[in-house]
Amino acid sequence: MKVYVMLATGFEITEAMLPIDILKRAGIEAITVSVENLDVVAASNGTRVLPDLKMSDANLSDGEMIFLPGGMPGSKNLDENPAVINAVSAYNEAGKWLVAVCAAPLVFGHMGLLNGQKATCYPGFEDELHGADHQQQTVVRSGKIITGCGPGACFALGREMVAALVSEEAADKILSQMMFNVYA
């Protein structure tokens, strides 16, 4: 099982790395892709990440899910990248999973993929979710689209990704092992 994580300059580090960790704990291959074909992708806080692949070298057809971490200007850079739009379109047409967090759901909104879907996003980006029924929730799964509201949502987002690809039980077990809300 493969999830392709689209990294654009200015992505939010927590929104990419925490879900990647949760996916890998579930035995899911999480592959980072530099959408700008860079050897190193800088996060919004300046952290430099070595991607697994460059978009120009990637064949994304074997994945089950595409994941767009948010952040600024990362979300804008994803939205303006034709290769990202093509990949998201192909996954949507194939009925595969689409995931975005923070400001990145704007990509799905601008593409018209949220028409009639429930979705969440970082406050202030609601108007970018064209056609969506905006929810003030941490994570929303609507059809084959999963959206999260921001960095603090990433435990729940990673859990929802694993639940969608493996099972609810596996997702809950991983979060418990990570000591998420164990004493709550």
Side-chain angles (χ1 to χ4, degrees):
M1 223 175 297
K2 292 182 183 178
V3 174
Y4 288 101
V5 182
M6 305 288 107
L7 299 182
T9 300
F11 73 94
E12 167 58 47
I13 192 79
T14 302
E15 294 171 359
M17 296 305 146
L18 184 53
I20 286 171
D21 184 41
I22 293 169
L23 290 165
K24 289 187 176 205
R25 288 171 188 256
I28 298 167
E29 193 174 357
I31 302 161
T32 55
V33 180
S34 168
V35 302
E36 298 150 321
N37 296 310
L38 301 172
D39 291 327
V40 176
V41 183
S44 59
N45 68 1
T47 301
R48 296 163 42 96
V49 172
L50 300 172
D52 297 313
L53 296 171
K54 294 179 182 178
M55 187 65 105
S56 59
D57 299 329
N59 176 359
L60 308 179
S61 64
D62 61 345
E64 283 75 34
M65 179 181 281
I66 280 185
F67 171 41
L68 307 179
M72 278 299 182
S75 297
K76 182 177 181 276
N77 291 335
L78 290 170
D79 192 45
E80 295 174 352
N81 188 300
V84 171
I85 301 307
N86 290 338
V88 169
S89 290
Y91 269 56
N92 183 59
E93 289 170 14
K96 295 183 179 187
W97 288 97
L98 301 173
V99 181
V101 63
C102 192
L106 68 81
V107 175
F108 301 159
H110 292 172
M111 294 176 67
L113 302 180
L114 297 178
N115 289 328
Q117 300 289 332
K118 292 181 180 181
T120 191
C121 64
Y122 193 81
F125 288 90
E126 297 87 353
D127 290 344
E128 305 298 325
L129 305 182
H130 305 168
D133 176 8
H134 178 260
Q135 306 289 301
Q136 289 185 330
Q137 294 180 2
T138 304
V139 172
V140 174
R141 187 197 307 191
S142 185
K144 294 284 244 181
I145 297 175
I146 301 171
T147 52
C149 67
C154 286
F155 271 102
L157 183 73
R159 184 223 170 268
E160 198 64 28
M161 293 165 78
V162 171
L165 293 174
V166 181
S167 71
E168 298 280 339
E169 296 77 20
D172 289 339
K173 181 177 179 183
I174 290 165
L175 260 58
S176 175
Q177 291 169 341
M178 294 177 79
M179 302 299 291
F180 182 75
N181 281 341
V182 202
Y183 301 122

